[in-house]
Amino acid sequence: MQVLKFGGTSVANAGNIKKIKNIIHTKATHTRTVVVVSAFAGVTDKLLQCGSLAADGDNKYSTELKKLSAQHLEAVNELMPVSHQSHMQIFVMQQLNQVEDICNGIYLLNEFSAKTRDRLASYGELISSKIISAFFSSEGIANYWVDARSIIKTNSQHTHAIVDFQNSEKLINEFFNNNNDGLIIIPGFIASDEGGHTTTLGRGGSDYTAAILGEALNAANVEIWTDVSGMMTADPRLVSNAKPIKVISYHEAMELSHFGAKVIYPPTLQPLMKKSIPVWIKNTFLPEDSGTLIKSDTVNNGTMIRGISSISQVALLSLEGSGMVGIPGFSKRLFEALAHHDINVILITQASSEHSICVGVEHQSAAKAKEIIDKAFALEIELQKVHPLVIEKDLAILALVGDQMKSHPGISGRMFGILGRNGVNVRAIAQGSSERNISAVINSKDITKALNALHEEFFEPSYKQLNVFIVGTGNVGSKLIAQIAQQQAYLQQNLLLQIRVVALGNSRRMIFNDKGVNLKNWKEALENGEAMDLGEYINQMQQKNLRNSVFVDITASDKVAAVYEQIFIKNVSIVACNKIACSSPYNNYFKLKESARDHNASFFFETNVGASLPIIATLNDFLNSGDTITRIEAVLSGTLNFVFNNYDGKISFAEVVRQAQKEGYTEPDPRLDLSGMDVMRKIMILARESGGKLEMEDITNESFMPSSCMKGSVEDFYNEMKNEEAHFKKLFADAEKEGKKLKFVASYKDGKASVGLKHIAPEHDFYHLYGKDNIVLFYTDRYNDQPMVVKGAGAGAEVTASGVFADIIRTMKA
Ligand code: ADP
Ligand code: ASP
Ligand code: MG
């Protein structure tokens, strides 16, 4: 004996019903088979909706009923040859006439009781099962239709009646002993009480019908045929990478279903577990997929977690007050009050201080709960021993489930670590001593992010997703995008990192794509994007609330630098090529670093100094390993190096500067480089990272530029440099006379920093610097005689982009 149950989508229309015929036909040839069917998808909802309309005095229900009638008649016409159709057409019309009569009654009486709800809802399963039975007969498949109400008995708790197992078992066995048919078709969901009135087993209860029959008949197995290939590691509607679970224990499956895995109705497994009857979850639309096997014992799946489930629309009720501490009976009264009003408690937490009890309930019960609890504790509230009940809405519960979690430390640590890193605030936590379920209450808006992040952690060791938001698509930005495009496949394969550029923006336009902007034609896409609005860009980034998000600033804009704090607050990491934030007033720099730390976000800005040279990372390594920076000597301007390495008095100084700008080494305004300002900012950042509290005005700058060059526009600057050529020639000649070279040097020692043009002798480390090279000498307690030297190309779009790229990847490792 086997029991097969087909859910609503599996019997949604004639096409699907033909599919289930093939499944049943192959399965039922050798073994006696019971087929339990649901109403066509959506029909139960529609019937109940008609009842509600009627109760509200709205006669639109008759139009809705006509649609229901047409839907069922269409199935009949498609499934059966004309010769078989008429008696089923009459049946469908009769049934829907009865439904209309019931609705008319509800309309007239203005009353829609639980008992009537059950009557009304029962027609969905009654009609679908009859149509399927008649279809099978018309196809020559012998079968017998039996009304579940005659063999499944319940109490009279309408809409979620309790099964009388003893009586039902007797009736089921009597029926099956007196019947010889190989294939029995039964409507799911419905039953009857002692008085013969129709009852239902709760929404989704057709699964339960299959279980009741399976248990009573000692079936070899029960199969639940639905629209997914098994019980999945998470709700597939929220986690696109969810995978079917091959084998799962009854206990684990029950925990998952109680916690929102809708694929199986929660009470279903209880009767089957008692007799160790295996349960399969199978996909009607992909019958060859193996599906999920639910049984007593399972195999280790390599991770302690079997699945993650979630329930949305939860409210948290908190009863608090010093009057509760050490006094027995408060929780009893609280739960009694809730139970008395049929309010189901989903989760309970009480801290050992006994100062508060927190209870999770369904959203729609919250107002009622407040009313009854405040009433139950009216005296204590008046005496100020407890506070009036506090309700918080818009919450969700997620739960990690797995038998193997027991006695394995570290799982909750990982769980809450991931939630924290993704900025998901945990409102309450519950874990029973069975250690099979760890539940956390979080904000509804975070549920998708939280589920995906946890799923990735526990089920997708294969890769992590990094969601990148870029602003700035100039020289460096476009190179970065090209590098990401080129490297995506490598990173996924070798670092198990999937990088998605979710948003791109420049000063004019912005685009978003949750699946990742196509990096092959991003320029066109951006051109056609919406007008740039930084506030809206940040807003969208926050709305998307994606895990492992990083904001990448490749602009030189003070407006972008001004929003960093706002970004950290949402736990998003920042990679900045833009130097403005780190060279802003010390308090702001410090606050940003602190804010990043407080919100578990990374803040990397390696390219602020020396493009991709590992300067800030090296400095941090010194400090982290307990060393102290005593002195820094550095040549930090790629532009000035290029200029002084190429200027020999033959081509004009202005020409050489123009060349540097053309090669992309300068800041957008080259005066920032020529004035020494850019070097000042860099040495200040290094000083700050070394622990110095420096401001720009604390840095001495012996500028070599005539002040006349620094006024007006960039063109004025070039013209004025031409006029001052003699001044530059003299600078060069003075150094050359001594056999030395000109270098613009930055120094930091004893809390003081300075920048200026120096004559460098041939034996000095700085002498052999070519092209756009940068060099930094770190003197530390440990490197006090010979400095540590970091040297190499310190400017250029390609190397700067690679530094930004490295920082982006570093955010995942932090
Ligand atoms: P049926 O109508 O066949 O009874 P249901 O709609 O009741 O089907 O249940 C199947 C649905 O449950 C799936 O389509 C899926 O969207 C949802 N679901 C939620 N959580 C899970 C999960 N963990 N595994 C599988 N399906 C899930
Ligand atoms: N048709 C019922 C419902 O929609 C029962 C079921 O499908 O399992 O709730
Ligand atoms: Mg279901």
Side-chain angles (χ1 to χ4, degrees):
M1 180 79 77
Q2 61 182 351
V3 181
L4 274 52
K5 176 259 169 176
F6 292 87
T9 36
S10 305
V11 294
N13 50 45
N16 295 357
I17 293 172
K18 285 179 186 160
K19 288 201 175 82
I20 78 162
K21 186 203 90 178
N22 294 335
I23 294 168
I24 294 167
H25 197 47
T26 31
K27 294 218 150 231
T29 34
H30 304 298
T31 320
R32 201 171 179 203
T33 303
V34 184
V35 170
V36 177
V37 295
S38 286
F40 293 1
V43 168
T44 314
D45 283 338
K46 274 271 153 56
L47 288 165
L48 293 171
Q49 193 192 343
C50 286
S52 300
L53 283 170
D56 292 344
D58 185 339
N59 61 10
K60 266 206 237 71
Y61 63 85
S62 39
T63 329
E64 292 303 319
L65 289 179
K66 283 201 182 72
K67 285 190 210 153
L68 275 181
S69 177
Q71 180 187 354
H72 287 100
L73 288 174
E74 191 183 308
V76 169
N77 295 347
E78 270 188 56
L79 287 169
M80 283 161 241
V82 182
S83 53
H84 284 70
Q85 279 172 14
S86 62
H87 83 278
M88 271 321 288
Q89 284 167 344
I90 294 168
F91 173 78
V92 168
M93 286 188 292
Q94 273 173 348
Q95 297 295 303
L96 279 148
N97 282 342
Q98 287 177 22
V99 171
E100 184 150 26
D101 287 347
I102 297 172
C103 287
N104 290 341
I106 298 169
Y107 182 78
L108 289 173
L109 295 172
N110 242 322
E111 195 182 82
F112 190 26
S113 67
K115 189 172 170 185
T116 314
R117 289 175 78 84
D118 277 354
R119 258 309 286 292
L120 200 57
S122 69
Y123 284 90
E125 267 71 9
L126 282 173
I127 304 175
S128 70
S129 59
K130 274 282 196 185
I131 293 178
I132 289 163
S133 166
F135 164 58
F136 282 11
S137 301
S138 75
E139 294 277 307
I141 304 171
N143 70 89
Y144 188 91
W145 180 88
V146 61
D147 189 338
R149 292 174 295 187
S150 63
I151 52 174
I152 299 182
K153 286 292 177 184
T154 66
N155 70 1
S156 304
Q157 194 179 302
H158 286 284
T159 71
H160 44 279
I162 309 289
V163 176
D164 174 350
F165 276 93
Q166 222 179 351
N167 205 1
S168 303
E169 205 164 307
K170 198 172 108 249
L171 291 168
I172 292 167
N173 278 299
E174 262 170 31
F175 168 78
F176 277 87
N177 290 337
N178 293 323
N179 176 295
N180 296 322
D181 290 279
L183 178 62
I184 312 287
I185 297 187
I186 302 185
F189 182 49
I190 61 173
S192 68
D193 67 5
E194 226 180 328
H197 302 293
T198 302
T199 55
T200 61
L201 305 177
R203 293 304 308 272
S206 295
D207 299 339
Y208 199 28
T209 306
I212 297 162
L213 292 163
E215 192 242 7
L217 297 166
N218 287 317
N221 57 294
V222 169
E223 297 181 2
I224 307 289
W225 289 80
T226 182
D227 60 352
V228 278
S229 294
M231 196 157 205
M232 316 277 265
T233 46
D235 187 337
R237 290 163 299 184
L238 301 176
V239 178
S240 55
N241 288 333
K243 291 186 280 281
I245 300 168
K246 288 234 168 328
V247 189
I248 185 169
S249 74
Y250 291 111
H251 284 294
E252 289 171 324
M254 279 195 284
E255 288 283 354
L256 283 174
S257 65
H258 276 290
F259 256 97
K262 191 197 165 206
V263 66
I264 190 155
Y265 181 56
T268 305
L269 295 169
Q270 195 70 44
L272 297 169
M273 184 172 69
K274 238 178 25 198
K275 292 195 173 165
S276 296
I277 297 172
V279 181
W280 285 91
I281 315 276
K282 296 277 294 175
N283 190 343
T284 303
F285 308 101
L286 294 165
E288 56 292 341
D289 279 4
S290 58
T292 297
L293 171 61
I294 309 175
K295 59 188 190 79
S296 309
D297 49 340
T298 62
V299 284
N300 194 333
N301 62 347
T303 160
M304 307 294 145
I305 312 299
R306 194 69 63 182
I308 309 168
S309 57
S310 55
I311 307 179
S312 52
Q313 303 221 307
V314 172
L316 211 53
L317 315 176
S318 305
L319 187 66
E320 270 190 55
S322 50
M324 293 183 357
V325 182
I327 301 174
F330 271 88
S331 47
K332 171 176 174 278
R333 284 167 59 199
L334 172 70
F335 293 117
E336 256 173 11
L338 292 169
H340 190 66
H341 289 84
D342 265 348
I343 294 176
N344 185 37
V345 172
I346 310 175
L347 166 144
I348 308 165
T349 64
Q350 185 194 315
S352 56
S353 70
E354 299 178 40
H355 187 260
S356 70
I357 308 175
C358 228
V359 188
V361 300
E362 279 178 9
H363 201 79
Q364 68 262 32
S365 311
K368 179 88 187 151
K370 169 140 179 83
E371 189 189 314
I372 59 176
I373 291 171
D374 282 351
K375 204 152 135 204
F377 292 95
L379 184 65
E380 285 83 354
I381 292 172
E382 203 185 327
L383 295 173
Q384 297 189 345
K385 284 187 173 171
V386 298
H387 305 298
L389 190 78
V390 176
I391 302 182
E392 282 168 277
K393 286 191 173 171
D394 297 323
L395 299 173
I397 304 180
L398 59 79
L400 296 191
V401 170
D403 286 341
Q404 312 271 332
M405 290 200 296
K406 194 169 175 67
S407 314
H408 271 100
I411 302 218
S412 54
R414 263 166 89 190
M415 172 179 181
F416 294 110
I418 293 289
L419 294 178
R421 222 167 303 146
N422 280 283
V424 176
N425 188 31
V426 175
R427 297 282 307 106
I429 301 170
Q431 183 198 293
S433 57
S434 75
E435 294 184 47
R436 194 175 283 124
N437 172 321
I438 310 175
S439 305
V441 181
I442 63 171
N443 271 328
S444 284
K445 68 169 179 42
D446 289 329
I447 191 74
T448 311
K449 176 166 77 168
L451 283 173
N452 279 283
L454 289 172
H455 194 268
E456 205 168 71
E457 172 72 14
F458 290 105
F459 293 105
E460 299 164 60
S462 49
Y463 70 84
K464 298 239 181 307
Q465 194 180 85
L466 184 57
N467 293 299
V468 183
F469 295 78
I470 297 177
V471 282
T473 56
N475 251 346
V476 177
S478 9
K479 288 280 189 314
L480 172 69
I481 294 167
Q483 288 177 9
I484 295 178
Q486 182 217 316
Q487 206 59 6
Q488 259 167 340
Y490 175 89
L491 289 174
Q492 179 141 356
Q493 212 172 27
N494 294 286
L495 280 194
L496 310 177
L497 200 61
Q498 189 188 56
I499 297 201
R500 291 201 304 201
V501 177
V502 181
L504 267 182
N506 59 23
S507 54
R508 292 168 296 110
R509 306 250 155 226
M510 58 185 189
I511 45 167
F512 301 88
N513 186 338
D514 285 4
K515 298 219 158 57
V517 172
N518 180 352
L519 299 184
K520 296 221 166 65
N521 64 0
W522 65 271
K523 280 194 182 135
E524 287 150 67
L526 188 59
E527 274 310 308
N528 297 318
E530 45 190 305
M532 180 57 168
D533 173 344
L534 185 61
E536 182 51 26
Y537 188 98
I538 306 293
N539 186 27
Q540 289 237 26
M541 181 169 85
Q542 290 171 354
Q543 290 296 320
K544 289 186 190 306
N545 204 4
L546 298 172
R547 64 193 182 281
N548 308 326
S549 289
V550 50
F551 177 83
V552 183
D553 177 5
I554 325 177
T555 69
S557 153
D558 49 354
K559 289 196 187 68
V560 179
V563 298
Y564 288 4
E565 169 87 21
Q566 210 182 317
I567 293 172
F568 286 138
I569 288 174
K570 295 289 175 187
N571 310 81
V572 172
S573 294
I574 296 180
V575 168
C577 179
N578 187 349
K579 294 187 202 61
I580 292 177
C582 287
S583 52
S584 64
Y586 183 84
N587 278 345
N588 188 52
Y589 155 86
F590 187 73
K591 205 171 77 191
L592 287 175
K593 294 210 47 148
E594 224 175 22
S595 182
R597 206 173 32 235
D598 288 351
H599 294 95
N600 275 318
S602 301
F603 183 22
F604 292 131
F605 41 87
E606 180 63 87
T607 51
N608 277 196
V609 183
S612 72
L613 292 180
I615 297 174
I616 296 176
T618 304
L619 196 161
N620 282 315
D621 284 347
F622 281 131
L623 300 180
N624 294 340
S625 62
D627 207 349
T628 311
I629 312 287
T630 50
R631 188 176 144 209
I632 299 172
E633 290 287 325
V635 175
L636 294 172
S637 170
T639 305
L640 290 177
N641 263 356
F642 178 91
V643 170
F644 288 113
N645 287 339
N646 287 292
Y647 180 64
D648 53 9
K650 293 192 183 96
I651 312 169
S652 78
F653 193 77
E655 266 321 298
V656 180
V657 174
R658 211 185 267 285
Q659 178 74 15
Q661 179 164 26
K662 222 163 81 199
E663 303 265 340
Y665 303 148
T666 68
E667 288 289 310
D669 181 343
R671 284 173 296 186
L672 272 176
D673 297 297
L674 273 288
S675 65
M677 270 284 283
D678 188 54
V679 176
M680 283 166 76
R681 295 200 298 204
K682 287 172 177 164
I683 192 72
M684 181 171 74
I685 293 171
L686 293 185
R688 286 176 172 180
E689 287 287 295
S690 315
K693 287 188 186 169
L694 257 72
E695 301 287 1
M696 282 297 264
E697 45 282 16
D698 300 331
I699 303 172
T700 325
N701 179 0
E702 295 146 20
S703 177
F704 65 89
M705 286 297 282
S707 55
S708 62
C709 296
M710 307 313 276
K711 297 183 192 125
S713 68
V714 173
E715 263 326 293
D716 294 337
F717 154 76
Y718 278 113
N719 290 333
E720 200 49 41
M721 275 195 292
K722 270 197 196 122
N723 297 338
E724 293 285 354
E725 181 59 21
H727 163 76
F728 298 115
K729 265 202 173 116
K730 181 171 181 324
L731 289 178
F732 177 76
D734 286 351
E736 202 186 30
K737 241 189 294 173
E738 296 171 17
K740 294 182 179 170
K741 283 188 184 174
L742 286 172
K743 300 286 169 199
F744 197 80
V745 175
S747 316
Y748 173 63
K749 195 179 174 211
D750 300 330
K752 292 201 169 50
S754 61
V755 302
L757 201 58
K758 297 258 155 58
H759 293 181
I760 301 294
E763 61 278 12
H764 197 283
D765 283 311
F766 293 171
Y767 189 84
H768 294 287
L769 275 186
Y770 302 102
K772 52 199 187 269
D773 276 358
N774 275 198
I775 185 166
V776 181
L777 312 182
F778 285 112
Y779 293 88
T780 73
D781 280 350
R782 293 175 193 152
Y783 283 82
N784 54 15
D785 295 336
Q786 285 293 327
M788 176 179 283
V789 183
V790 181
K791 180 182 166 189
E798 196 76 58
V799 288
T800 308
S802 75
V804 174
F805 197 1
D807 270 354
I808 294 175
I809 293 168
R810 207 167 288 143
T811 62
M812 274 312 267
K813 295 196 185 143

